[in-house]
Amino acid sequence: MRMIIASIDIGTNTVLLTVAEWDGKIARVLRDEARITRLGQGLNRDPNFLPEAQERALDVLKDYKKIADSLGASKILAVGTAAFRKAGNANAFVQRVKQEAGIDIRIISGEEEARLSYLSAAHDFGDSENLYVLDIGGGSTEVITKSAAVSMDLGAVVLSESIVTHDPPTDDELAAMEREIHRAIVGANLVSALAAPLGVAPKATFVGLAGSVTTLSAIQQALTVWDGAKVQGSTLTLPQIDDMIALFRKTTTAEKSKIPGMVKGREDTILAGTLILKAVMEAVHVTQVTVSDRGLRFGLIYESNS
């Protein structure tokens, strides 16, 4: 049975919308939107969503509801991730969104976030024991396989806001970010939790999701206009990632905004996201990542008839 579904992923940094016609096997995308609201702004200092951050996110969600209705969506599936798990006023914001935008938000755990991200990648790249999925968010990072999942309290926005005060970051700030990433990976027992280093799997596929990774792909391809079809399934190697780190660490936010392929609003967090990607790849012994332009919101669609 065909149905039109709107899926919304409300993260620490971005609010993503996909409206798709779903027949149980193929999701035909009718509309795809990604808007940076920085809902999790300041959560490393203040335990609540800031009023201005709530307003930004609410405005986007109201617009998304109009888009979904105009395309005939029979249901809207919306989830809140890491920022909602941290904010003390998350439930109050959920109620406000329901009242003012007509959208019900379900706050999900890190484990559920990981499961949905894996479901998305498995649908597109094949469900097997050799599929490894990395989802770098603004407030958390997940690494997922068919049989295991690790959710780390580590994200590109939180890492940047809690450490970086200079533009561009100083060498000391860069080193501090690298130490914090290492601490999170070791603290989560990442390699042990995944059973074995990925490098030993002869036919392994390592897939990277979310905005930091897709932005890196766009930069590597020098895409002056976003093209999800070119991003989906593209690859990045460790040497390419090292080159981009070298570029990001010596450029200001304003200079980063002029890099072909840079997504507006990610200039101040792209270095942190790239450092997380590199550290996880090195921890699991891979030298290449396959990029997915899809993610959790597609996982919501794929499981909607299960």
Side-chain angles (χ1 to χ4, degrees):
M1 177 180 176
R2 295 178 181 273
M3 63 178 74
I4 295 176
I5 299 173
S7 178
I8 302 174
D9 173 3
I10 311 167
T12 303
N13 195 38
T14 57
V15 182
L16 307 173
L17 166 72
T18 294
V19 182
E21 185 180 57
W22 172 241
D23 64 2
K25 293 182 179 180
I26 299 173
R28 184 172 70 86
V29 176
L30 305 177
R31 185 76 172 263
D32 225 3
E33 294 278 343
R35 302 185 192 176
I36 294 177
T37 64
R38 200 63 62 89
L39 177 60
Q41 177 187 356
L43 274 179
N44 60 305
R45 300 182 299 272
D46 189 305
N48 294 308
F49 289 141
L50 298 176
E52 59 268 32
Q54 292 184 57
E55 294 301 325
R56 291 193 299 266
L58 184 59
D59 285 346
V60 168
L61 289 167
K62 287 178 179 177
D63 195 31
Y64 281 2
K65 177 63 161 61
K66 292 177 183 177
I67 293 170
D69 289 346
S70 71
L71 292 171
S74 59
K75 64 173 70 174
I76 297 177
L77 307 173
V79 295
T81 56
F84 287 81
R85 298 192 289 267
K86 294 178 182 178
N89 59 349
N91 288 327
F93 181 63
V94 167
Q95 287 303 312
R96 186 182 175 198
V97 171
K98 182 175 182 178
Q99 292 169 0
E100 298 186 29
I103 295 173
D104 287 307
I105 299 172
R106 177 165 60 97
I107 301 175
I108 59 175
S109 67
E111 290 72 24
E112 177 72 353
E113 184 176 356
R115 186 185 68 80
L116 289 166
S117 295
Y118 180 84
L119 183 61
S120 170
H123 183 276
D124 294 332
F125 298 99
D127 184 11
S128 76
E129 295 292 342
N130 290 326
L131 176 64
Y132 291 68
V133 181
L134 170 65
D135 186 353
I136 302 172
S140 69
T141 294
E142 285 73 41
V143 185
I144 320 108
T145 67
K146 187 178 180 70
S147 56
V150 177
S151 182
M152 295 177 284
D153 189 19
L154 176 75
V157 172
V158 173
L159 190 64
S160 299
E161 288 188 349
S162 62
I163 293 175
V164 179
T165 60
H166 296 82
D167 187 20
T170 65
D171 289 345
D172 287 345
E173 288 169 345
L174 180 73
M177 283 195 287
E178 291 174 332
R179 286 195 300 271
E180 182 62 19
I181 295 167
H182 178 73
R183 181 203 62 77
I185 289 173
V186 172
N189 294 313
L190 178 62
V191 175
S192 297
L194 298 179
L198 177 52
V200 305
K203 297 181 180 180
T205 301
F206 185 72
V207 176
L209 306 174
S212 291
V213 181
T214 57
T215 298
L216 292 177
S217 174
I219 291 171
Q220 184 61 37
Q221 298 182 67
L223 299 180
T224 54
V225 177
W226 182 263
D227 188 339
K230 290 183 178 179
V231 171
Q232 177 75 2
S234 61
T235 58
L236 294 166
T237 65
L238 268 178
Q240 290 171 337
I241 291 166
D242 281 331
D243 287 344
M244 284 188 272
I245 289 173
L247 173 63
F248 299 152
R249 66 180 296 181
K250 66 181 181 182
T251 49
T252 65
T253 298
E255 289 167 341
K256 288 184 182 70
S257 70
K258 298 175 183 178
I259 298 172
M262 178 64 71
V263 174
K264 182 176 174 58
R266 293 198 179 276
E267 299 91 346
D268 61 336
T269 63
I270 191 64
L271 174 58
T274 311
L275 290 173
I276 293 170
L277 173 61
K278 177 184 176 180
V280 172
M281 289 176 68
E282 290 180 338
V284 297
H285 303 288
V286 294
T287 59
Q288 178 174 290
V289 58
T290 298
V291 181
S292 174
D293 187 39
R294 302 188 168 193
L296 184 156
R297 68 198 187 282
F298 280 85
L300 285 170
I301 293 172
Y302 297 152
E303 75 165 5
S304 62
N305 63 337
S306 60

